[in-house]
Amino acid sequence: MKATLEEVDVATEVAQFIARVANIPSDEQLPTNANLVKLGLMTSLVTTEILAFAQDRYAVRIGMESITATNFGTADAIASLVVTLAAREDQ
C-alpha cells in the first residue's frame, strides 16, 4: 500500500517541477494557485513533462481525458487530480 499523498505537498512539488521545466529562476517561486495558462507555461511540452513526472513520482497514470484546462490550470488542480487518481489506484 502506498503512503497517503497530501495535496499541499504534491502541489508544492508540481509547482517546483514546472518552475524548473519552464526555466523560472530558482530565486522565484511559482505559486501553487498561479494560472499556468495565463502565464504561458502550459505548452504541450510542459504538459508531457508533467505527465511523465506524475507517473514516475506518484505512480499514477493520467489518461488523455483528464488533460483539461480545469485539471491542468494550476499546480493545485494538478495535485488534486494526482491525489484522486492515487487514491483510486490504492483501492
Side-chain angles (χ1 to χ4, degrees):
M1 181 172 175
K2 296 180 213 169
T4 302
L5 294 177
E6 294 294 331
E7 202 167 306
V8 68
D9 296 334
V10 175
T12 299
E13 289 181 358
V14 168
Q16 290 170 346
F17 176 79
I18 293 169
R20 278 194 307 275
V21 170
N23 294 316
I24 294 174
S26 60
D27 62 335
E28 295 179 27
Q29 286 189 333
L30 178 65
T32 60
N33 64 347
N35 185 316
L36 302 173
V37 175
K38 284 186 179 179
L39 292 173
L41 299 177
M42 286 310 294
T43 64
S44 57
L45 177 61
V46 172
T47 302
T48 302
E49 294 280 348
I50 291 168
L51 293 172
F53 172 75
Q55 183 172 333
D56 292 345
R57 176 73 176 99
Y58 306 110
V60 297
R61 186 173 186 289
I62 300 174
M64 294 303 290
E65 70 281 355
S66 296
I67 302 172
T68 65
T70 301
N71 288 337
F72 277 70
T74 66
D76 287 333
I78 296 167
S80 178
L81 176 63
V82 166
V83 170
T84 299
L85 292 173
R88 282 188 203 155
E89 291 180 14
D90 266 353
Q91 293 178 354

